[in-house]
Amino acid sequence: MRVLTSWLRHYLPTLSVTDRQLADDLTLRGIAVEGVHQLSDGHLFEMDITTNRVDAMNHYGIAREAATIYNLPLAPLHPALPIGTLVDQPFSVRIAPEAKGLCGRFTAQVLRGVTIAPSRGRVAEYFDLLGQKQISNAVDASNFTLLGMGHPTHAFDLDKIEGGIIVRLARRGEKLRLLDGTERTLEADDLVVADEKKALALAGVMGGWDSMITPETKNILVEAAWFDQASVRRSSRRHLLHTDASHRFERGADFNAAPLANALVCELILEAGGKLEGELVDVIDPDVAARTANRVPIELAVAQVRRHLGTTLDPEGITAEIVHQYLASLGCEPLLHGLDVYLVKLPSWRLDLEREIDLIEEIARVYGYNRFANTLPTALPVVDYPSAAAEHAVRNRLLQLGFSEAVSSTFASREDADLFYGTDAEMSAGKKTVAMENPLSEEASLLRPSLIPGMLTMLAHNLNRDVREVRLFEHGQVFTGTIPADAGYVSEVHESQQLSLGMTSAEVRPTPLYPAVDAPIFELKGVIESLTSLFVLPGGEAALSFTTANTPAWLEPGRSACALLNHQPIAYFGELASSSKEARKLRQPVYLAKIDLVRLYELPLRRATSHELSRYQAVERDFSFVFADSIVWSNIAEAIHALAISELTRLTPEEIFRDPKGKAVAQGQYSLLLRTVFQSHDRTLREEEIASWSMRIVETLKALGGTQRA
């Protein structure tokens, strides 16, 4: 947001500080000035106003903040309007019953005999400094008022309105051509400003083409209204229209600002000629007024202010006089309700103030956080949360394995959630996605039910910047909801911990056990085995098994697997499905894993132990066998460990060989080079002992169906 200091000083004629000092003081109080640019007259501030402070998204709102900081008088907004021509029948404005609550206030003023011309004076001067496009005095008057005091308005060509104004819901399929020249097909919950025959504007978003101001316009209807935040947001998102007006209405407009904004626009238009016809038409919904402009006052005790904010650098601290001064300057009406207790009536433009603590935060902000003493909080015992040790162990292991930790957005799109959320079994178990009530965009409309979309986004981000070797992990929360049988909405949101792994490499090298094309998949399998080895598995190592059945659709069939802990899925891993890879325009294969940490963290951590190294020589023996593909490594390892040879300290597969042509090794079989290491802690091993153990191993491998190679 761009702000002119010359415009601010128009509202603060007694402001004596420099523009640089003003920028610093505003920033310290949460009205952030991110850039200061020298102009021929004053400076231009580049400002970042948070979404809850819609009242400060204009020059007058920022001037109010400055007046509060420096305890200065703020020039009132008093438009000078001529006396209007009296009419027997005021202009007809009504709010349809179905729009009750969606349009809380609608003001309308008729202007006759106006002159449409280029803007002059302050409007032209300020627009030139801001780089704001000028259209005509009537259109510029609305934009000038929006920039000046923050409330959206609109001017209609009165002669193009048939009958009076009706604020109603659109008819499904109704067409409306907007000011940007596009024709929109409206939905039944779009709020429109219409006449007796047609829609004139998409309420709170954009005006219509058929009633816009042209150089031939002679009579104008000026509108300023209050529209419901959610209604404007729905229409804005549905039609992909984000305008200055919708930006304000979506964040909560000032209910009481409509008459003033209307008068300010009329004043600027009438400077070029014309006259008022009739008085201002002001239609109000009392229910909306009660929950916005006429909210229940808040009780505020000065003692509570001091208790929450603590010691200040000023000896007198925060007094009742300071509290009253700040609140009054911000637009509140503090009435003494007891001994240093105020009953505070809230201003209509500060919908973010709802509780006593909100007022205390405002006092602290205006007072200046830098004016509070640095004190340490009361010491409390620090207790780790239950899974802290397990999280630390998992993170350390992944870092040791060469992965880097990353953090992605907590939100996801509906499309990603449908594609990457769980398996059919999980969906049928009643776990539903959780939609945001007022999402900022379609890409962030849900709380994420899976970490996989975020991981893919981060991998794509690296690949698009020519980073070809990436190994990432994310440890975070995912969100699901439950829907009762008698309700159609999520009644309870559940958080659970999940781990995602992502890998991609431009040059994958083969290993002694696996060809290059399969190596990343088995590396992920090894990572999962390494992570589960940190915990005491019920049933020992045999509790962890793998299957290629029931893998999710986002993994490539035949190149993915599921890790089972006691026959229950605990992780899915493999290569990203080719359809998803093409949709995201990924230039090389991507490998992913999703691990359920809830079940893993229920297990006790394995305690690290150390053993004294043997002083005696270790002896290696290799065995070369041919096995059928149906014999997997777990079968071999379990059979050999069942021999209970205490001196067998290591058992590893050193090489696996398959011959696609079936010559050296028949098809459906593989050749395995098995390495064993024998070592004793109390003696040097004898040759006959090693020969005996080797014979037992050979017999065991033959019993599994293996054929020893010469």
Side-chain angles (χ1 to χ4, degrees):
M1 175 181 167
R2 292 173 297 178
V3 170
L4 297 174
T5 58
S6 55
W7 200 340
L8 294 178
R9 292 180 183 277
H10 176 79
Y11 299 131
L12 294 168
T14 59
L15 181 64
S16 59
V17 301
T18 65
D19 290 348
R20 295 280 180 178
Q21 184 63 49
L22 174 61
D24 290 343
D25 290 339
L26 287 171
T27 302
L28 282 173
R29 287 158 178 84
I31 310 296
V33 180
E34 295 191 333
V36 180
H37 309 285
Q38 179 71 53
L39 299 176
S40 57
D41 181 13
H43 291 81
L44 175 71
F45 286 172
E46 292 282 353
M47 308 199 70
D48 182 18
I49 308 300
T50 55
T51 56
N52 66 314
R53 291 301 308 275
V54 65
D55 66 291
M57 294 178 182
N58 56 82
H59 285 75
Y60 197 77
I62 295 172
R64 184 189 296 115
E65 290 289 321
T68 304
I69 295 169
Y70 304 119
N71 194 23
L72 297 175
L74 180 65
L77 294 173
H78 286 322
L81 290 176
I83 297 175
T85 304
L86 295 178
V87 293
D88 295 333
Q89 185 68 33
F91 187 83
S92 174
V93 174
R94 63 187 178 90
I95 300 172
E98 73 269 17
K100 180 176 174 59
L102 303 181
C103 177
R105 189 169 198 171
F106 196 99
T107 66
Q109 178 65 64
V110 174
L111 305 181
R112 296 280 185 183
V114 300
T115 300
I116 304 302
S119 296
R120 298 179 180 178
R122 268 201 317 138
V123 176
E125 176 190 347
Y126 287 166
F127 276 24
D128 285 341
L129 292 173
L130 287 169
Q132 177 80 23
K133 181 181 178 181
Q134 298 181 45
I135 300 173
S136 68
N137 59 335
V139 178
D140 294 346
S142 285
N143 293 332
F144 186 84
T145 300
L146 180 65
L147 294 172
M149 56 82 70
H151 195 83
T153 59
H154 187 68
F156 297 92
D157 188 323
L158 182 64
D159 296 327
K160 296 176 182 177
I161 298 176
E162 301 179 76
I165 289 291
I166 307 170
V167 184
R168 60 171 172 83
L169 292 179
R171 305 178 186 94
R172 183 180 295 276
E174 186 174 5
K175 305 291 185 181
L176 174 61
R177 190 181 182 191
L178 298 174
L179 287 174
D180 61 1
T182 62
E183 185 177 73
R184 306 292 170 135
T185 301
L186 304 179
E187 294 293 334
D189 61 345
D190 282 326
L191 188 68
V192 296
V193 178
D195 60 19
E196 300 292 345
K197 294 186 177 180
K198 62 185 179 299
L200 300 174
L202 191 58
V205 181
M206 186 179 289
W209 182 275
D210 294 337
S211 58
M212 70 177 177
I213 303 299
T214 66
E216 291 73 34
T217 298
K218 295 300 180 184
N219 303 307
I220 287 176
L221 179 72
V222 177
E223 165 260 309
W226 181 98
F227 298 115
D228 177 66
Q229 295 169 253
S231 174
V232 173
R233 182 183 291 273
R234 279 195 302 270
S235 295
S236 174
R237 296 296 181 270
R238 176 182 295 124
H239 299 288
L240 302 179
L241 292 169
H242 183 79
T243 63
D244 289 336
S246 69
H247 189 82
R248 268 83 173 172
F249 279 123
E250 287 177 24
R251 286 154 180 79
D254 179 2
F255 186 88
N256 285 342
L260 175 61
N262 196 309
L264 289 170
V265 172
C266 292
E267 179 188 32
L268 291 172
I269 294 175
L270 293 176
E271 286 179 356
K275 61 181 180 179
L276 295 173
E277 181 179 271
E279 296 182 349
L280 178 73
V281 178
D282 189 359
V283 180
I284 294 176
D285 183 335
D287 293 335
V288 176
R291 70 172 188 263
T292 55
N294 302 324
R295 289 171 290 164
V296 176
I298 297 174
E299 190 175 271
L300 175 67
V302 177
Q304 284 292 88
V305 176
R306 295 195 187 105
R307 185 179 74 84
H308 281 285
L309 301 185
T311 307
T312 68
L313 298 178
D314 302 322
E316 65 275 13
I318 297 178
T319 63
E321 290 74 18
I322 290 176
V323 170
H324 186 281
Q325 174 193 322
Y326 289 169
L327 293 178
S329 295
L330 289 171
C332 299
E333 296 180 24
L335 303 174
L336 203 58
H337 185 57
L339 184 61
D340 285 347
V341 176
Y342 290 98
L343 197 62
V344 182
K345 185 178 179 181
L346 302 173
S348 58
W349 57 83
R350 290 299 301 273
L351 298 179
D352 58 314
L353 302 180
E354 298 177 340
R355 302 169 298 165
E356 180 186 53
I357 193 64
D358 296 332
L359 297 176
I360 295 173
E361 288 178 358
E362 284 296 286
I363 293 166
R365 182 180 65 82
V366 177
Y367 186 79
Y369 299 119
N370 57 320
R371 296 174 63 188
F372 290 95
N374 293 325
T375 56
L376 292 173
T378 304
L380 296 173
V382 178
V383 180
D384 281 338
Y385 53 95
S387 62
E391 286 185 26
H392 181 71
V394 168
R395 279 194 171 92
N396 275 357
R397 179 60 57 89
L398 289 169
L399 293 172
Q400 292 162 3
L401 291 172
F403 286 79
S404 298
E405 185 167 11
V407 179
S408 66
S409 172
T410 313
F411 305 104
S413 66
R414 173 67 65 182
E415 181 182 1
D416 280 347
D418 292 342
L419 183 59
F420 295 104
Y421 172 38
T423 62
D424 292 339
E426 288 177 318
M427 295 293 284
S428 62
K431 297 180 179 179
K432 305 297 182 181
T433 54
V434 181
M436 301 292 292
E437 186 172 339
N438 291 310
L440 294 177
S441 67
E442 291 299 322
E443 290 73 28
S445 60
L446 302 176
L447 289 175
R448 63 183 180 193
S450 170
L451 297 182
I452 294 298
M455 176 57 67
L456 277 174
T457 299
M458 293 185 290
L459 290 173
H461 182 87
N462 281 274
L463 290 175
N464 292 339
R465 285 153 183 79
D466 296 324
V467 181
R468 298 301 184 203
E469 302 286 334
V470 187
R471 275 169 170 73
L472 299 176
F473 76 91
E474 181 175 13
H475 184 298
Q477 301 291 115
V478 295
F479 306 86
T480 56
T482 55
I483 300 180
D486 58 344
Y489 55 89
V490 171
S491 64
E492 187 175 357
V493 178
H494 307 282
E495 296 184 34
S496 58
Q497 291 183 316
Q498 194 176 98
L499 176 68
S500 68
L501 306 176
M503 294 169 38
T504 184
S505 177
E507 297 181 7
V508 180
R509 297 178 177 84
T511 71
L513 298 178
Y514 309 109
V517 68
D518 294 332
I521 298 175
F522 284 96
E523 182 179 347
L524 282 177
K525 177 176 179 286
V527 171
I528 293 170
E529 291 174 323
S530 179
L531 293 177
T532 55
S533 71
L534 295 169
F535 300 86
V536 179
L537 303 183
E541 294 181 2
L544 184 67
S545 59
F546 297 88
T547 178
T548 56
N550 298 322
T551 56
W554 47 270
L555 292 174
E556 187 72 13
R559 297 188 55 74
S560 56
C562 171
L564 305 173
L565 184 60
N566 289 328
H567 309 293
Q568 294 298 319
I570 194 171
Y572 299 98
F573 64 97
E575 184 177 344
L576 177 67
S578 55
S579 57
S580 295
K581 175 175 174 287
E582 292 168 4
R584 292 176 179 262
K585 300 180 180 179
L586 300 172
R587 291 177 282 181
Q588 61 192 48
V590 166
Y591 304 89
L592 301 165
K594 183 183 76 170
I595 303 170
D596 179 8
L597 293 178
V598 176
R599 293 191 59 214
L600 200 60
Y601 287 170
E602 290 174 350
L603 305 175
L605 272 174
R606 189 185 300 277
R607 296 185 62 182
T609 57
S610 61
H611 301 280
E612 183 180 356
L613 296 176
S614 175
R615 294 175 293 171
Y616 300 96
Q617 180 68 34
V619 179
E620 289 184 358
R621 288 290 185 270
D622 290 346
F623 303 89
S624 183
F625 271 78
V626 175
F627 288 100
D629 286 343
S630 59
I631 304 301
V632 296
W633 171 250
S634 60
N635 301 140
I636 297 170
E638 288 173 11
I640 293 177
H641 286 310
L643 297 175
I645 303 172
S646 59
E647 289 81 4
L648 179 61
T649 59
R650 195 192 325 166
L651 176 69
T652 55
E654 287 298 311
E655 183 179 311
I656 293 177
F657 172 71
R658 285 183 172 86
D659 186 358
K661 297 180 179 179
K663 294 181 179 179
V665 179
Q667 291 186 354
Q669 296 183 333
Y670 64 93
S671 174
L672 170 67
L673 177 62
L674 182 67
R675 178 157 297 166
T676 58
V677 178
F678 301 96
Q679 191 175 29
S680 173
H681 281 268
D682 53 14
R683 70 186 191 283
T684 300
L685 298 178
R686 301 191 306 274
E687 183 61 34
E688 56 268 24
E689 289 179 302
I690 297 170
S692 172
W693 295 330
S694 298
M695 183 61 66
R696 293 173 63 190
I697 291 174
V698 169
E699 291 173 354
T700 300
L701 296 177
K702 287 181 178 179
L704 288 173
T707 302
Q708 190 171 15
R709 302 188 68 181

